[in-house]
Amino acid sequence: MDIASSFEMTWGSTTSSGYCSQDDSDSELELFYTARTSFSKVKRKTIEPIDWGKQVLSLGDIQQKVKEYNAQINSNLYMVLNRDGSYTGFIRVVFKLTRPVSLPSPAKTSPQLEEGQQERGLKRRTSFYLPKGTAKHLHISSRTRAREVIEALLNKFTVVDNPAKFALFERSERQNQIYLRKLSDDERPLHLRLCAGPNEKVLSLVLKENETGEINWDAFSFPELRNFLQILQREEEEHVRQIIKRYALTRDKMKEALASGTAPG
């Protein structure tokens, strides 16, 4: 589906969280710090990343950059400059989600059950863990906003979750340091791609959960909340089993030490 010409919607804008430096951890409890704060704690020299979003390009600049961009790629994913100064091209987005997404349930239900669910405002859904590293190319225009990219990605995978649960991040590598910056809703990813060039190390786009600190549980549907409770219960039971096993092992060693008349080492 070509979405380059269809995005003229307006979305509420959110403030960008700024750059952060990290070790590319996939932990759900990832902490985001500014590059300056992160490096001061480990006494490293601060390396400021390039803010591609602040680059303002004239029509001549765009023409030159589109020409340079197309000369560097080894595929047919070219950028095309339009007469009105806008341009179209491809972006590649990598999925790094730690929680399951909701898909429409493929199971068929009886008309009576479906009617009852509709009366209660419920929709049949199934939860699915999207493999990390999954990537998708989208053909967009220079006018396409980050929020619209998120919506298009969810539609591609028939994800029915609220797009506000997700955020698009700019990822870059400089001198063995990895930076992440959350894009605001109104930023235009193709502009970033053009300014940075096609090198994915210089800039890549990542879809992650929209972590804002406190989780807004009211934004989740009843099936999602029930699924999360089941996941939490399984994790709790596994932790309990591990603790019981560890204490049982320690107890056995103590008993062996008592039986042999020696103190445990």
Side-chain angles (χ1 to χ4, degrees):
M1 177 183 66
D2 188 325
I3 63 172
S5 60
S6 61
F7 285 130
E8 295 298 334
M9 298 182 294
T10 59
W11 293 74
S13 177
T14 58
T15 304
S16 171
S17 63
Y19 283 97
C20 64
S21 175
Q22 61 161 42
D23 58 359
D24 203 24
S25 169
D26 287 329
S27 170
E28 183 175 354
L29 300 179
E30 229 167 19
L31 297 180
F32 288 14
Y33 299 98
T34 62
R36 188 176 301 278
T37 302
S38 177
F39 282 122
S40 65
K41 289 187 177 182
V42 295
K43 297 181 179 180
R44 292 180 181 176
K45 183 180 179 181
T46 300
I47 305 171
E48 294 295 338
I50 300 173
D51 193 345
W52 302 108
K54 290 185 177 180
Q55 293 194 13
V56 179
L57 303 178
S58 65
L59 179 58
D61 294 333
I62 294 174
Q63 292 174 336
Q64 182 63 29
K65 282 189 172 293
V66 167
K67 182 178 179 180
E68 293 173 354
Y69 183 96
N70 291 338
Q72 295 178 58
I73 61 175
N74 297 319
S75 64
N76 59 349
L77 304 180
Y78 297 108
M79 287 199 187
V80 177
L81 181 63
N82 301 318
R83 291 182 178 179
D84 61 358
S86 66
Y87 47 95
T88 59
F90 292 86
I91 59 170
R92 178 178 180 269
V93 181
V94 179
F95 288 72
K96 283 195 174 183
L97 304 176
T98 60
R99 293 192 287 268
V101 295
S102 297
L103 306 178
S105 177
K108 294 183 179 180
T109 58
S110 64
Q112 293 82 1
L113 180 58
E114 288 184 354
E115 183 178 352
Q117 290 176 335
Q118 291 175 357
E119 290 177 355
R120 296 192 300 272
L122 300 178
K123 295 182 179 180
R124 287 185 59 84
R125 295 181 177 183
T126 182
S127 296
F128 175 75
Y129 277 98
L130 200 63
K132 290 182 181 179
T134 299
K136 189 69 178 177
H137 283 92
L138 285 179
H139 187 235
I140 63 174
S141 80
S142 55
R143 297 190 178 99
T144 305
R145 298 177 175 87
R147 179 54 53 185
E148 297 164 337
V149 168
I150 294 172
E151 186 182 46
L153 289 169
L154 299 183
N155 288 337
K156 287 277 188 179
F157 289 92
T158 65
V159 175
V160 295
D161 292 299
N162 188 339
K165 297 178 184 178
F166 306 91
L168 200 62
F169 285 79
E170 168 193 323
R171 181 183 184 276
S172 59
E173 298 181 28
R174 291 192 69 196
Q175 298 186 16
N176 298 323
Q177 293 297 320
I178 298 171
Y179 297 86
L180 281 178
R181 184 179 70 87
K182 179 181 173 182
L183 303 188
S184 66
D185 287 351
D186 286 335
E187 285 194 71
R188 292 170 169 79
L190 194 61
H191 172 76
L192 301 177
R193 181 79 280 161
L194 178 64
C195 292
N199 191 329
E200 291 279 321
K201 286 190 175 182
V202 176
L203 180 141
S204 60
L205 297 170
V206 180
L207 185 72
K208 298 169 68 73
E209 280 87 3
N210 188 11
E211 301 291 359
T212 56
E214 291 293 330
I215 298 177
N216 181 17
W217 295 111
D218 292 334
F220 293 88
S221 66
F222 286 122
E224 289 174 322
L225 291 173
R226 283 195 292 266
N227 183 65
F228 290 150
L229 286 174
Q230 292 174 358
I231 293 174
L232 287 174
Q233 183 177 354
R234 288 197 296 268
E235 291 180 350
E236 180 183 5
E237 292 172 352
E238 178 61 27
H239 282 303
V240 170
R241 282 194 294 269
Q242 293 295 330
I243 292 173
I244 292 175
K245 182 179 179 180
R246 187 166 68 247
Y247 275 85
L249 181 61
T250 303
R251 189 182 300 110
D252 290 342
K253 288 183 177 180
M254 289 180 178
K255 289 179 178 179
E256 290 176 3
L258 288 172
S260 62
T262 60

